[in-house]
Each structure stands twice: as structure tokens, then as C-alpha cells.
Amino acid sequence: MKTINKKGLWFYGLSGSGKSYASKIVTKRKKKSFLIDGDYVRKFISKDLGYTLRDRKIQIRRVLGIVRISLKSNLFPIVSTVYMDRYVAKNLRKLKINLIKLYK
């Protein structure tokens, strides 16, 4: 799989839009990839968070932290989350992570 000058992918969109499906396909094709599913982060790391806007912002900042760790480990992060905000999107551009919105 060719991703010109990109160091990772972040899919976001509503539930049922195909984020997890797309992430799994790319993970199978991309060497040294690391799948970061927002549902798993919520289950294993963000147990303290609910689904308010404030909690969603905290959640994606935690996911961003995991992305940074994976980049330091020379891995290609492939992320799927429901929510996205400007702060994280701006940081993803700096990190050369391709942000992709999926629609139902």
C-alpha cells in the first residue's frame, strides 16, 4: 500500500460508517502498522469517560498520545474514532497523519 509522505491514517465518522472495517483492511496491507481503535481505547484505557463532548475531547487526546508513542516506535498508526476536533486535526497535520472522514 502506498501512502506518499504520510506516517499514519486516522478514520473518523459516525457509528456504522465503516471505520473499523477500513482500518482492518489497511492494517493487513501496511507493514509495521499499529491499529488503534477508539472503542478499545475506551474499554481498556478510558474507562473513566462517558460520551459527553468534554469526555470525547479527552478521549481523542488520549488516542493522539498513543499515536505519538507508535510513531516513536517507528510504527504506522491506523486509528478509528467517532469524534474529531480542530486541535487534534491540527496536530495530525503536523505529524503527517492523513485524516479521513467516513460517511454512512
Side-chain angles (χ1 to χ4, degrees), residues 51-91:
Y51 294 92
T52 65
L53 181 58
R54 178 186 170 278
D55 287 348
R56 288 182 185 275
K57 287 183 179 189
I58 293 168
Q59 165 74 356
I60 63 168
R61 281 163 179 73
R62 289 179 183 177
V63 173
L64 179 60
I66 297 168
V67 165
R68 291 178 189 278
I69 292 168
S70 67
L71 291 171
K72 291 283 185 188
S73 299
N74 293 314
L75 297 173
F76 187 91
I78 300 169
V79 182
S80 64
T81 62
V82 172
Y83 182 73
M84 179 53 57
D85 69 11
R86 287 183 183 177
Y87 172 82
V88 173
K90 182 179 176 181
N91 278 273

Side-chain angles (χ1 to χ4, degrees), residues 7-9 23 26-28 30-37 41 45 63 65-71 73-80:
K7 295 184 179 181
L9 296 173
S23 297
V26 175
T27 299
K28 289 179 183 177
K30 180 68 180 165
K31 293 179 183 176
K32 294 187 75 175
S33 63
F34 181 62
L35 180 60
I36 306 167
D37 189 301
V41 173
I45 296 172
V63 173
I66 297 168
V67 165
R68 291 178 189 278
I69 292 168
S70 67
L71 291 171
S73 299
N74 293 314
L75 297 173
F76 187 91
I78 300 169
V79 182
S80 64

